[in-house]
Amino acid sequence: MFLINCPFCGERDQSEFSSGGEAHIVRPKQPTELSDDEWAEYLFMRKNIKGIQFERWNHVHGCRKWFNVVRDTSNDKILSVYKMGEKPPVNYK
Amino acid sequence: MPNYRIHKTEYIDETKRVSFKYDGKTYFGYEGDTLASALLANGIHLVGRSFKYHRPRGIVSCGAEEPNAICQIGSKKDLTEPNVRATELELYEGLEASSQNCWPNVKFDIGGINNFISPLIPAGFYYKTFMWPKSFWKKVYEPLIRLSAGLGKSPTEPDPDIYDHKYVHYDVLVIGGGVSGIIAAKMAAKNNLKTLLVDDKKILGGSTIYQNNESIKIDDKLSSKWLKNEIQEIKKLSNLTIKTRTSIAAYHGYNFLLAKENLTDHLPEEKKKNKIRQRLWKIRAKKVVIATGSIERPLVFNNNDRPGILLSNSINKYLDYYGVTCGENIILFTNNDSAYETSISLHKKGIKNIIVDLRKSASSELIKQAESLGIKIYFNHVVTNTFGYRKINSLEIMKLSEDGNTTVGNKIRLSCDCLGMSGGWTPMVHMHTQSGGKLDFRDEDQVFLPKENSEDQISVGSCNGDFDLENIIDKTVNKINKFLDIDNQDYQDTNIICSKENDKRNIWLLPNKIPLGKTKCFIDFQNDSTAKDIKLALKEGFRSIEHVKRYTTTGMATDQGKLSNMHALGIIADTAGVKMGTLGTTTFRPPFTPLTFGTLVGRNVGKFFEVVRKTSMHEWHLENNAEFENVGQWKRPWYYPKNGENMHDAVQRESKAARDSAGILDASTLGKIDIQGTDASEFLNRVYTNAWSKLAIGKCRYGLMLNEDGMVYDDGVTTRISENHYLMTTTTGGAANVLSKLEDYLQTEWPELDVYLTSVTDHYSTASICGPNSKKILNKLFPNLDLSDENFPHMSFKEDKLKNINCRIMRISFTGELSYEINIESKYGHSLWKMCIEAGKEFNLTPYGTETMHLLRAEKGFIIVGQDTDGTMTPSDLQMDWIVSKKKYDFIGKRSLYRSDTIREDRKQLVGLLTDDPKEILEEGAQIVSDVKSKPIDMLGHVTSSYFSPNLNKSIALAVVRSGKTMKGQKLIIPMENKNINVTVSDTIFLDKENKRLNA
Ligand SMILES: [Zn+2]
């Protein structure tokens, strides 16, 4: 079970959080301009990689804030956490 | 009665005699015994029958790895417990245990016949044979297998015991209280690290604590004596917590571990009462030291499973720890030095024994000692067969060929009443691998060892493959200093003398002149799989260890193959001609030993199983005989039966009263979200399908919320309280998810919006009064409020006071009647409700529950999200196109409403259904078809809501039907088990299509 370092509250048990899937997927500004395929790309397609992955987490049983996590899915180590709107750390691309 | 307790030890208190029952017969043991040691002291080896062949089986080990001595404890319906290892169960006064898997009894049983037909039960037998004929499986094979297998009985009544959970944080956790664990714990604690030491046994000390060989000494003392001093010392350390009878069940990521502490299992019945039985420890440790030791390997030879055949080191422990000898004429069969310790110990206590060693020759301090005591040793010999049905009485040995592949020379028959076997030692790497650690293979003695890969955990002692005491202590001290980054000098000058093992020889499957097909060389005792089974699986093309394991069931019993996995791997490697290290192992899954459900659940049973949410009016509902329904965590009144009414009658009465005069509903559970901020209107525009900017202050509007995929997610009425302040209501069950979803969009997609969301569900209680007389009741409660349609029209909101307490009153309707919802601060909810009831008395104001609410709204064709929708319904599917704004540029889910799939005309769509027989009530969930003759029958949809309407005096239903929108008036069929019900597709609105009643 992870220990997650909420950028607002500090280290807490994983049971306080919920995972929100892949990070940095931006909702299209003009959905009506998109083809079915382009919209489906936004709506359905998510990465599931072995290795370094950028994820959204919500401190749902705590401060209720959403934030981003860099996690190595091969060993579950969380390498970095950062707030929404902040750029992902460059050393993990 | 025979007595095999031949000498006194400090661990058995002979002043405290304990009586217990085993298989219905009374025996005696002493405080300090396990059930296994007490049975052995009484000369009992036979403890069960094997799973497949029903062969007699005896106690094999003295610990968690025990495959045979599995018993059922107690016989009470609520307290009986199966699969308990007799080798771990501490004896207590009044213990009742029975052997498992041996109906009708252990000495004679029907299943024994399988032993004679065993050539017919090869690996995969169950898969192969019982496949055909198919109908036989349920009626013949399965009941037979279950009857003869009988691996214990589950309790049939709730567990009356108390269990507990505890969360703890430590700097260092040490798993295992043997010599290396004790050293590690002492070093950590003395260096100011908060340390927890756990051990599954009653006392610390591991196998060193009963060690008494003169050739193994620390600081000139017997190693056991030295260790006792160490234990005394660590008990004084203030920042060290020691938990005995505590076993680690699972090692999860981030050094999160679960441990089970046994608190009362060793106590007599009367002392167990009202105490916590077991506690689950949830441990977070910065660093973990694994010192879990190793377990002895059996040897694989023909008939290696008879009662009286034990692991050699277990014989030693029964002797030196419990004072019990496992026989009077013992043979030890070994491939390493450790059996010599057992031999010498037996010899010193006057027990005759000889050694059969498969090594060509060997020399060490221990061997010299044995030789000088005159113990007979057969080097380069193997056991080829054993004899004796209920207990071993003799065996045959033969000389090994030069290459070890076959036997040569004459058979030598030796008599014995006990055989100890030692095939070397397997490090317990379970914890290391559970934590994610990888393994290396050491060819020299064929062991898997932890590969160090983490700063957070380390393995020390024999679980790390260090087997002699000098090695163990030196390496532990060095590693712990480095691991904890400390400089502890306590063991700098410790002087260790021990015997060094110089010679190794391992043969996984021992050679025999008898063809393998005719032998019984057991690998997994509990699941009865043999070397022959493994070879057969390979012959049939299985290659992966995971496949061989499942096909032969090796390692899949309750002991999880602690004694068998290595041999299975070894035989596969030998047969396939590959290196064992390249094969890998099967996965080591938690728990290490079985856990009780009670431990996992802890205190969360009965009324603590789940959070229960009650409204402020709950007491009134109870007093007035309500039946309750669970909606999410809420308890909602379902209906209020009067004078012994059943549910149908109560609902018919409530529904009729609500439309004829007045009804009242506790609507407090609806989700309420307070929305404030200068962008609140814009926010609502984006989350609902309809437009919100133009909603006037003091007005209410119904909204439909979609997921981004275009499917209906939630609905409810939202009220504009002031310019930048709205109150949103959600469905009862969806409240938390809606808030999360809205927060998600606000924080991640639209952080520029000035909007604040607060859940106020619990802040307000809501009484909803509907019906033609509702206005008169409101007038009594709020005499100063102008209730005229001009001042207070449908879909609007007013504030007023009830005895000086502020109320928010919405004129909104979920029943189609004239209707008001009164919201008040929750602490006044109960009073509000009572005042409403009082005011409504003269109008027959009738409290109604969720069932009547559902019926009333169905008469009006209003949907319930989650009942009439299932996450695959668009607004158009629900015939609610009217609520989707064409003008708005964007809202959540808009783009999905014209995806190629969502615009299909043949989607399932919401319709009304009327049964041809108006008295016939459809079953919710029933399938809908148009033709019952064509096969397969084409399923068109299903019934989502169905009621008998007292107001219409006929049955009504809502359903989703393929292309339903175009089917009005069409006949369809609901095929049920015994009949087909004819229905006609209708409009979804059954009552008051013109909405006249809203202003009645
Ligand atoms: Zn937080």
Side-chain angles (χ1 to χ4, degrees):
Chain A
M1 190 137 53
F2 306 168
L3 265 186
I4 300 174
N5 190 13
C6 170
F8 305 93
C9 309
E11 258 185 2
R12 295 287 192 281
D13 194 285
Q14 185 186 342
S15 58
E16 293 186 13
F17 297 84
S18 72
S19 166
E22 191 181 339
H24 304 297
I25 292 177
V26 181
R27 188 173 188 272
K29 284 276 174 286
Q30 296 170 317
T32 47
E33 316 277 304
L34 302 182
S35 69
D36 269 13
D37 284 351
E38 287 165 332
W39 179 246
E41 184 66 31
Y42 158 72
L43 195 56
F44 300 122
M45 305 313 280
R46 296 293 182 270
K47 287 184 201 132
N48 183 15
I49 38 181
K50 183 176 181 182
I52 289 173
Q53 184 161 288
F54 296 78
E55 305 171 331
R56 289 157 17 104
W57 284 79
N58 184 9
H59 195 185
V60 63
H61 300 296
C63 65
R64 301 190 64 93
K65 281 285 196 184
W66 284 90
F67 56 94
N68 296 309
V69 163
V70 187
R71 181 171 65 102
D72 186 340
T73 60
S74 67
N75 61 12
D76 274 344
K77 289 273 176 290
I78 290 175
L79 305 169
S80 178
V81 293
Y82 55 102
K83 291 178 185 171
M84 279 294 156
E86 289 178 359
K87 289 238 170 346
V90 281
N91 40 332
Y92 301 117
K93 258 293 172 194
Chain B
M1 206 168 265
N3 184 11
Y4 287 83
R5 200 175 307 267
I6 57 164
H7 79 113
K8 288 193 191 306
T9 84
E10 61 192 286
Y11 305 108
I12 296 293
D13 186 349
E14 291 199 34
T15 64
K16 289 183 180 143
R17 213 163 84 125
V18 175
S19 77
F20 66 100
K21 269 190 182 166
Y22 184 71
D23 278 340
K25 215 175 146 192
T26 301
Y27 299 93
F28 296 97
Y30 296 109
E31 207 170 288
D33 265 324
T34 60
L35 175 58
S37 69
L39 288 171
L40 290 169
N42 284 283
I44 296 169
H45 281 258
L46 176 62
V47 286
R49 292 285 174 148
S50 75
F51 177 62
K52 211 153 76 183
Y53 307 118
H54 279 247
R55 285 166 68 100
R57 288 284 164 80
I59 296 162
V60 168
S61 73
C62 57
E65 68 271 36
E66 176 61 34
N68 291 342
I70 306 295
C71 39
Q72 183 93 27
I73 306 301
S75 54
K76 287 184 194 156
K77 281 180 180 166
D78 54 354
L79 274 171
T80 186
E81 186 175 1
N83 301 331
V84 176
R85 291 159 302 284
T87 50
E88 293 192 301
L89 181 72
E90 292 178 40
L91 201 67
Y92 56 84
E93 182 65 38
L95 166 68
E96 279 182 42
S98 51
S99 48
Q100 278 178 201
N101 197 24
C102 52
W103 178 86
N105 68 55
V106 73
K107 290 190 179 143
F108 170 84
D109 68 331
I110 286 164
I113 196 143
N114 284 1
N115 200 13
F116 299 106
I117 58 159
S118 64
L120 306 172
I121 319 181
F125 170 71
Y126 292 104
Y127 299 116
K128 289 168 183 162
T129 312
F130 295 134
M131 289 304 291
W132 191 262
K134 221 175 172 181
S135 63
F136 265 46
W137 175 253
K138 231 181 157 169
K139 286 178 186 144
V140 183
Y141 298 140
E142 194 184 344
L144 263 177
I145 292 170
R146 288 201 182 281
L147 191 74
S148 60
L151 278 175
K153 289 185 192 72
S154 303
T156 53
E157 282 173 17
D159 187 344
D161 283 327
I162 308 166
Y163 300 85
D164 199 23
H165 285 187
K166 188 168 181 174
Y167 244 106
V168 290
H169 294 257
Y170 281 91
D171 293 326
V172 180
L173 165 68
V174 181
I175 312 170
V179 63
S180 51
I182 286 167
I183 289 171
K186 180 172 157 186
M187 290 173 69
K190 282 187 79 171
N191 280 276
N192 285 325
L193 294 164
K194 193 182 162 201
T195 306
L196 173 66
L197 171 65
V198 301
D199 192 273
D200 59 348
K201 300 282 190 307
K202 179 180 138 185
I203 60 157
L204 295 179
S207 57
T208 309
I209 202 71
Y210 55 89
Q211 214 291 321
N212 63 2
N213 194 289
E214 291 292 334
S215 68
I216 304 167
K217 287 195 162 178
I218 306 175
D219 290 343
D220 266 351
K221 290 184 203 129
L222 280 177
S223 58
S224 51
K225 207 168 169 205
W226 178 87
L227 192 61
K228 273 171 219 159
N229 276 338
E230 288 291 297
I231 293 169
Q232 285 314 312
E233 242 187 82
I234 63 167
K235 281 182 178 165
K236 294 176 201 153
L237 297 172
S238 62
N239 52 350
L240 174 66
T241 308
I242 300 170
K243 282 284 158 195
T244 52
R245 295 191 177 106
T246 303
S247 54
I248 300 289
Y251 190 154
H252 297 293
Y254 288 72
N255 276 357
F256 179 70
L257 297 96
L258 297 177
K260 180 190 75 172
E261 181 184 14
N262 263 331
L263 293 153
T264 64
D265 279 354
H266 59 288
L267 298 176
E269 226 50 72
E270 71 275 6
K271 287 192 180 160
K272 290 185 206 277
K273 276 198 184 110
N274 300 321
K275 287 187 187 138
I276 295 164
R277 183 190 170 201
Q278 292 168 347
R279 177 177 285 133
L280 186 74
W281 288 66
K282 302 177 178 184
I283 306 165
R284 288 267 184 201
K286 290 194 187 119
K287 301 235 176 192
V288 174
V289 178
I290 303 169
T292 46
S294 51
I295 52 178
E296 199 165 23
R297 293 175 182 166
L299 287 161
V300 180
F301 52 92
N302 191 23
N303 291 315
N304 60 341
D305 68 324
R306 297 191 192 282
I309 304 181
L310 293 89
L311 295 170
S312 153
N313 187 256
S314 298
I315 294 174
N316 195 6
K317 181 164 184 183
Y318 284 119
L319 183 68
D320 288 341
Y321 186 96
Y322 298 103
V324 175
T325 182
C326 294
E328 288 162 325
N329 179 19
I330 297 179
I331 297 173
L332 298 165
F333 179 26
T334 186
N335 68 358
N336 67 90
D337 281 6
S338 59
Y340 288 78
E341 260 186 81
T342 307
S343 168
I344 292 159
S345 206
L346 285 165
H347 183 91
K348 284 185 176 166
K349 273 121 205 156
I351 305 294
K352 195 180 133 199
N353 72 91
I354 60 175
I355 295 175
V356 179
D357 193 328
L358 64 86
R359 295 176 292 183
K360 286 175 185 164
S361 66
S363 65
S364 70
E365 276 306 311
L366 275 170
I367 295 170
K368 259 187 239 162
Q369 210 182 329
E371 280 168 342
S372 70
L373 290 169
I375 295 166
K376 168 80 181 155
I377 305 167
Y378 290 90
F379 278 114
N380 204 26
H381 275 72
V382 289
V383 176
T384 53
N385 208 350
T386 69
F387 306 94
Y389 183 59
R390 278 176 204 148
K391 192 171 174 207
I392 188 168
N393 59 29
S394 60
L395 52 77
E396 263 171 19
I397 64 170
M398 284 180 82
K399 203 168 180 183
L400 270 173
S401 64
E402 186 59 26
D403 59 7
N405 287 336
T406 182
T407 52
V408 293
N410 295 326
K411 292 174 190 164
I412 306 168
R413 185 133 176 178
L414 303 168
S415 71
C416 64
D417 62 355
C418 174
L419 170 64
M421 47 184 177
S422 178
W425 294 82
T426 298
M428 290 284 90
V429 295
H430 295 65
M431 290 297 129
H432 172 82
T433 54
Q434 275 187 28
S435 80
K438 300 279 181 286
L439 299 172
D440 276 331
F441 189 70
R442 186 165 73 193
D443 278 316
E444 186 198 3
D445 53 352
Q446 316 220 314
V447 291
F448 284 101
L449 300 176
K451 192 187 256 180
E452 274 171 43
N453 71 330
S454 154
E455 298 157 14
D456 305 329
Q457 60 108 316
I458 199 171
S459 295
V460 294
S462 68
C463 74
N464 193 43
D466 304 327
F467 291 124
D468 73 59
L469 199 59
E470 189 180 355
N471 224 343
I472 289 173
I473 295 178
D474 284 353
K475 279 182 139 187
T476 298
V477 171
N478 287 334
K479 285 179 119 188
I480 295 295
N481 268 332
K482 214 172 131 198
F483 178 60
L484 300 179
D485 194 19
I486 55 176
D487 184 22
N488 181 290
Q489 302 287 334
D490 284 1
Y491 300 98
Q492 190 82 342
D493 304 319
T494 306
N495 178 33
I496 307 148
I497 301 167
C498 66
S499 173
K500 294 273 180 187
E501 183 170 290
N502 300 307
D503 307 276
K504 302 195 187 293
R505 185 185 201 183
N506 187 45
I507 303 171
W508 290 113
L509 173 58
L510 294 162
N512 206 310
K513 283 273 188 278
I514 310 168
L516 184 65
K518 298 215 163 112
T519 63
K520 281 275 183 302
C521 305
F522 285 94
I523 289 177
D524 184 322
F525 294 110
Q526 200 173 125
N527 262 354
D528 249 6
S529 51
T530 62
K532 181 174 64 180
D533 295 330
I534 304 266
K535 295 243 184 189
L536 183 65
L538 290 165
K539 208 167 156 187
E540 292 185 7
F542 292 91
R543 285 293 172 268
S544 147
I545 170 66
E546 295 285 3
H547 291 157
V548 173
K549 168 181 162 172
R550 279 157 184 81
Y551 193 57
T552 61
T553 70
T554 303
M556 293 182 69
T558 61
D559 59 352
Q560 295 187 77
K562 291 186 180 74
L563 292 182
S564 61
N565 284 340
M566 287 303 289
H567 300 79
L569 275 170
I571 291 169
I572 293 169
D574 286 350
T575 310
V578 297
K579 285 208 146 203
M580 203 169 154
T582 63
L583 269 182
T585 64
T586 54
T587 314
F588 295 91
R589 289 195 175 82
F592 179 68
T593 49
L595 279 177
T596 57
F597 283 110
T599 312
L600 289 174
V601 175
R603 303 263 179 180
N604 301 325
V605 292
K607 61 180 175 177
F608 302 118
F609 180 66
E610 203 187 19
V611 174
V612 173
R613 297 173 80 181
K614 297 172 185 169
T615 73
S616 322
M617 293 84 153
H618 191 80
E619 287 304 310
W620 190 93
H621 304 321
L622 279 178
E623 284 160 20
N624 286 273
N625 211 19
E627 290 289 335
F628 289 91
E629 175 181 35
N630 295 328
V631 184
Q633 293 169 329
W634 288 103
K635 292 273 171 212
R636 296 198 72 178
W638 193 9
Y639 57 97
Y640 299 81
K642 262 188 181 173
N643 312 321
E645 278 174 331
N646 61 19
M647 172 157 148
H648 177 81
D649 292 342
V651 169
Q652 296 292 302
R653 172 181 51 76
E654 292 171 12
S655 308
K656 193 125 185 19
R659 292 222 191 274
D660 289 348
S661 178
I664 181 167
L665 172 82
D666 180 354
S668 310
T669 63
L670 282 186
K672 294 177 273 289
I673 301 170
D674 185 273
I675 304 174
Q676 300 191 40
T678 52
D679 292 317
S681 303
E682 170 61 17
F683 180 67
L684 289 172
N685 265 335
R686 296 187 191 185
V687 301
Y688 279 131
T689 62
N690 46 347
W692 289 80
S693 310
K694 287 183 187 142
L695 183 69
I697 293 166
K699 296 285 184 220
C700 314
R701 184 167 287 171
Y702 173 75
L704 200 59
M705 199 182 286
L706 309 184
N707 257 333
E708 205 69 272
D709 62 6
M711 304 303 156
V712 170
Y713 184 69
D714 203 79
D715 68 346
V717 169
T718 295
T719 303
R720 190 166 196 176
I721 295 188
S722 66
E723 177 66 24
N724 296 322
H725 186 187
Y726 290 84
L727 183 69
M728 174 189 277
T729 60
T730 72
T731 57
T732 298
N737 291 336
V738 169
L739 182 65
S740 279
K741 178 184 156 94
L742 298 184
E743 275 289 352
D744 186 352
Y745 275 92
L746 258 189
Q747 289 180 35
T748 68
E749 297 293 349
W750 310 317
E752 71 280 6
L753 292 186
D754 175 40
V755 176
Y756 302 90
L757 305 176
T758 311
S759 167
V760 291
T761 304
D762 298 272
H763 298 41
Y764 297 101
S765 290
T766 310
S768 173
I769 301 177
C770 77
N773 283 321
S774 56
K775 196 180 274 184
K776 290 176 194 151
I777 299 167
L778 258 280
N779 191 41
K780 283 177 74 179
L781 291 164
F782 302 98
N784 301 322
L785 185 62
D786 178 1
L787 292 166
S788 69
D789 288 348
E790 296 74 42
N791 181 58
F792 196 176
H794 181 56
M795 296 308 266
S796 62
F797 148 81
K798 296 284 172 204
E799 283 179 299
D800 199 2
K801 285 188 193 299
L802 188 66
K803 290 197 170 175
N804 295 323
I805 308 301
N806 288 327
C807 291
R808 286 172 171 168
I809 307 156
M810 281 83 167
R811 184 170 161 189
I812 53 177
S813 178
F814 191 43
T815 59
E817 295 298 315
L818 171 65
S819 174
Y820 299 90
E821 283 190 13
I822 309 165
N823 291 275
I824 197 163
E825 250 187 273
S826 275
K827 58 182 170 187
Y828 303 113
H830 193 220
S831 310
L832 166 71
W833 184 267
K834 282 198 292 192
M835 290 171 76
C836 292
I837 295 286
E838 189 57 39
K841 253 184 191 156
E842 58 180 299
F843 305 104
N844 185 33
L845 177 64
T846 302
Y848 65 91
T850 50
E851 192 63 21
T852 292
M853 175 187 79
H854 287 182
L855 191 162
L856 294 173
R857 65 85 206 182
E859 289 176 339
K860 286 290 295 173
F862 295 147
I863 58 155
I864 289 184
V865 174
Q867 175 160 347
D868 302 299
T869 72
D870 59 1
T872 67
M873 303 295 284
T874 67
S876 181
D877 295 340
L878 295 168
Q879 307 214 36
M880 289 173 78
D881 303 79
W882 54 270
I883 202 172
V884 180
S885 164
K886 300 273 182 304
K887 286 182 203 146
K888 281 202 295 184
Y889 182 70
D890 192 13
F891 55 82
I892 296 171
K894 176 174 169 115
R895 175 61 186 83
S896 290
L897 295 180
Y898 52 96
R899 288 175 55 233
S900 57
D901 187 60
T902 41
I903 54 173
R904 269 191 303 120
E905 307 228 312
D906 62 345
R907 293 177 61 83
K908 284 184 182 170
Q909 292 148 352
L910 189 75
V911 295
L913 292 182
L914 292 171
T915 46
D916 288 5
D917 171 5
K919 293 263 174 294
E920 182 83 63
I921 307 169
L922 299 176
E923 256 181 53
E924 288 173 358
Q927 292 290 325
I928 302 167
V929 306
S930 61
D931 177 9
V932 287
K933 291 191 184 77
S934 68
K935 298 247 167 94
I937 302 179
D938 193 16
M939 301 291 186
L940 300 179
H942 64 274
V943 178
T944 59
S945 297
S946 170
Y947 309 90
F948 186 82
S949 161
N951 301 301
L952 297 159
N953 198 25
K954 66 180 178 191
S955 150
I956 57 167
L958 295 172
V960 292
V961 177
R962 194 197 303 158
S963 302
K965 279 186 199 174
T966 61
M967 293 175 81
K968 204 186 277 185
Q970 221 164 299
K971 296 270 183 202
L972 292 173
I973 302 164
I974 316 279
M976 300 301 290
E977 206 168 4
N978 303 318
K979 61 180 171 185
N980 294 322
I981 303 170
N982 296 313
V983 296
T984 307
V985 177
S986 74
D987 197 274
T988 54
I989 306 171
F990 301 97
L991 183 118
D992 186 28
K993 281 200 175 72
E994 304 78 23
N995 289 329
K996 282 184 187 151
R997 304 182 67 91
L998 282 175
N999 298 308

